[in-house]
Amino acid sequence: MQVEGKVWRYGDNIDTDVIIPARYLNTFDPKELAKHCMVDIDETFAKEVQAGDIMVGGKNFGCGSSREHAPVAIAASGIPVVIASSFARIFYRNGINIGLPLLEIGDDVEKIHANDRLKIDTATGTIENLTTGDTFHAHPLPDFVQEIAKSGGLVNYVRDHGTLG
Amino acid sequence: MGMNMSEKILASHSGRDHVEPGELVICDLDLVMANDVTGPPAIKIFESMGKEVFDREKIALVPDHFQPAKDIKSAELAKIMRDFARKNQIVHYFEQGRVGIEHVILPEKGIVAPGMLIIGADSHTCTYGAVNGFSTGVGTTDLAVGMATGKAWFKVPEVINVHLTGKKAKYTCGKDVILTLIGKIGVDGALYKVLEFTGDGVESLTMTDRLTISNMAIEAGAKAGIFPFDETMKKYVETRVKKEFHPVNPDPDAKYSATVEIDLSTLKPVVAFPHLPENVKAVEDIAEPIQIDQVVLGSCTNGRLEDLQIAEKILRGRSINKNVRCIVIPGSREVYRAAMSNGWIETFIDAGCVVSTPTCGPCLGGYMGILAAGERCVSTTNRNFRGRMGHVDSEVYLASPYVAAASAILGRIATPAELDD
């Protein structure tokens, strides 16, 4: 998948409580969750995000609760891919499982700023920063995880294969 | 080549003799667990798959987060889970009045046991490492697929050896051990890794200490936090677990990616300052008094009988500070009942505490003690992220029941030593 969009830039240790606060967890309707995404640290995000925009965080993105509502809220906001220095492991699993590409790029993330325009090939993990001219490569995904991504998530993978493995 | 505990459990559940860090394995699950926040979306996904549950005895559904229902939407969530449990005759479904906090009741009732492989749609599922299980938090999709297939995929993790020596220092408990560890290695110090606890210091830790420590492994980014099987654990599980189980211990030549040393005798009562569990300071090093508005005693981290006992001894014959609300939440019906027959509930009420039925409640800002802007809370819970317990401009200080109870009396962050004659 090729995507091009504007960057919403966040810092280190963005936790799932700020991605979608627990007071909104009494629903799992993706559109409803998207209305409150990031609200506690950025009130403009839910109002102004455009489909195709890209979310970029620092290290340990998505730490905290296992709530899959967090990647669901981000995806339902129209974000096609999240880039970070590193991801917390449950968030990472959840992203893979729901078919939201997550690209881990380590310290290169410092070269991406708010409102930069990025062009990304999620299959190869190549990220071009059109604003600065830099190009980065995400850490490759293990083969099995790529298979899940190709199926469009874990549920589709199980549908395609009848079971897991 | 020897294996650590994580490798042994992942190997035995994927039909292999040996696994190595970095390998991807598909494993058979011994238990799949969810609560009223994560269960309903998983049930929706599960039902879209058109499959039967893999084993009605290996699924646990615990409505503990927003129940008794805090609002209409939460009541609807509980109903989805209740209807699903009835339809599929789920054995380990707990109705209100018989329920407790998931990570308190599953060990207490012997539903989790040594050597088991467990996934739960709750990040604190790592608690069951305290009973020697490889147990890890997942999202709703993994849970749905787990309920349908009895399987999950795992990357075999690297393991950090947390080598414990010495005996617990006065007024410290498991909470100080895990907060000190998180303070040392950071909130991503064990990212993608497992914490395995070894050393002769393990002996001096009670099961309550270990459950608290494993519970917060996720707060260092860990996939699991596992204790070896010893006499203390044997005594705990043999009266509770009714089925056969297979404990694991590390081989003498097991491989670890790193070792962290902690001498328990040097620990001090600590507090994690807002807004990350790694912002750990010894209470005695706090220069200016930090006035507080609320104390919460409870949660899957510190809602067990021994935690309430620690608080009760401190609160007995004393009064909660006039500027503080103190909320006590026993973690299960068993804990509540024992606290009541021991006379501790009376102590709490006489001291001026609110005593609640078991619930996750305020820990995640659900209900039963939400904070207003500018308020400060000392809490025995597990996360102090921005807005975690209420308003985005409120503050949570994580601490042990010792520190929480002493702070409730003095109206500022304090240790019980300050109350000693």
Side-chain angles (χ1 to χ4, degrees), chain A residues 42-53:
Chain A
D42 182 358
E43 285 183 358
T44 61
F45 176 78
K47 290 177 198 148
E48 295 176 13
V49 64
Q50 300 288 320
D53 284 356

Side-chain angles (χ1 to χ4, degrees), chain B residues 300-319:
Chain B
C300 62
T301 312
N302 284 114
R304 299 182 182 82
L305 199 58
E306 196 178 298
D307 298 314
L308 296 194
Q309 185 176 28
I310 288 170
E312 195 271 345
K313 276 190 186 157
I314 296 165
L315 296 178
R316 193 187 306 155
R318 294 190 168 109
S319 289

Side-chain angles (χ1 to χ4, degrees), chain A residues 17 22 26 68 93 97 104 162, chain B residues 51 71 140-142 153 192:
Chain A
D17 278 275
N26 55 6
E68 205 163 284
R93 260 188 105 90
N97 286 342
E104 211 171 51
Chain B
K51 289 184 174 280
D71 54 24
T140 47
T141 299
D142 271 315
W153 63 272
Y192 300 122

Side-chain angles (χ1 to χ4, degrees), chain B residues 172-387:
Chain B
T172 68
C173 62
K175 189 62 161 282
D176 302 287
V177 179
I178 189 64
L179 286 177
T180 301
L181 176 63
I182 297 164
K184 263 179 191 247
I185 68 175
V187 291
D188 63 348
L191 195 58
Y192 300 122
K193 295 179 181 165
V194 167
L195 301 170
E196 291 192 10
F197 300 90
T198 66
D200 59 18
V202 170
E203 268 173 44
S204 81
L205 298 174
T206 65
M207 284 305 294
T208 298
D209 289 325
R210 299 177 195 191
L211 287 156
T212 302
I213 292 169
S214 292
N215 173 272
M216 285 189 71
I218 178 69
E219 263 47 79
K223 190 166 185 165
I226 310 178
F227 277 87
F229 187 75
D230 66 356
E231 276 304 309
T232 303
M233 195 187 298
K234 189 172 169 227
K235 266 190 212 143
Y236 179 88
V237 295
E238 69 190 2
T239 56
R240 294 178 159 86
V241 178
K242 303 287 182 267
K243 61 201 167 196
E244 195 187 337
F245 58 87
H246 306 280
V248 291
N249 276 319
D251 290 327
D253 57 344
K255 267 192 301 191
Y256 301 100
S257 66
T259 297
V260 180
E261 298 281 350
I262 294 182
D263 178 352
L264 300 175
S265 66
T266 65
L267 293 192
K268 292 176 175 159
V270 292
V271 170
F273 277 54
H275 293 284
L276 281 176
E278 71 184 17
N279 297 336
V280 175
K281 268 190 205 165
V283 176
E284 65 179 32
D285 292 341
I286 298 173
E288 293 292 315
I290 300 174
Q291 307 295 331
I292 58 167
D293 305 287
Q294 180 169 297
V295 166
V296 171
L297 279 155
S299 84
C300 62
T301 312
N302 284 114
R304 299 182 182 82
L305 199 58
E306 196 178 298
D307 298 314
L308 296 194
Q309 185 176 28
I310 288 170
E312 195 271 345
K313 276 190 186 157
I314 296 165
L315 296 178
R316 193 187 306 155
R318 294 190 168 109
S319 289
I320 303 300
N321 186 279
K322 64 178 170 40
N323 298 320
V324 176
R325 295 101 55 185
C326 181
I327 301 166
V328 180
I329 310 177
S332 71
R333 185 171 70 154
E334 189 181 308
V335 172
Y336 203 163
R337 198 152 199 332
M340 191 177 292
S341 46
N342 293 345
W344 302 350
I345 301 294
E346 255 180 75
T347 303
F348 295 137
I349 292 174
D350 288 349
C353 302
V354 173
V355 183
S356 158
T357 190
T359 176
C360 302
C363 169
L364 76 161
Y367 66 134
M368 282 295 298
I370 304 303
L371 299 172
E375 288 192 323
R376 288 199 190 114
C377 180
V378 171
S379 185
T380 66
T381 56
N382 42 58
R383 289 195 176 124
N384 54 356
F385 299 151
R386 189 173 289 279

Side-chain angles (χ1 to χ4, degrees), chain A residues 13 15 17 22 26 28 40 59-60 64-66 68 87 89 93-94 97 104 142 144 155 159 162 165, chain B residues 24 26 44-45 48 51 71 73 121-122 136 138-142 153 187-188 192 223 364 383 385 388 392:
Chain A
N13 302 311
D15 61 76
D17 278 275
N26 55 6
F28 51 89
D40 281 354
K59 64 174 188 166
N60 203 27
S65 147
S66 70
E68 205 163 284
F87 290 96
R89 63 159 286 277
R93 260 188 105 90
N94 289 345
N97 286 342
E104 211 171 51
F144 176 69
V155 170
R159 271 200 202 108
Chain B
L24 271 158
I26 290 165
K44 190 180 165 198
I45 297 168
S48 79
K51 289 184 174 280
D71 54 24
K73 285 180 175 175
D122 185 280
T136 193
V138 298
T140 47
T141 299
D142 271 315
W153 63 272
V187 291
D188 63 348
Y192 300 122
K223 190 166 185 165
L364 76 161
R383 289 195 176 124
F385 299 151
R388 169 78 177 177
V392 67

Side-chain angles (χ1 to χ4, degrees), chain A residues 81-85 87 92 101-106 108 120-128 135-141:
Chain A
V81 54
V82 184
I83 298 170
S85 171
F87 290 96
Y92 192 64
L102 304 177
L103 301 179
E104 211 171 51
I105 62 170
D108 280 342
I120 300 166
D121 183 335
T122 57
T124 61
T126 307
I127 301 160
E128 282 179 70
T135 299
F136 319 112
H137 299 281
H139 303 158
L141 294 173

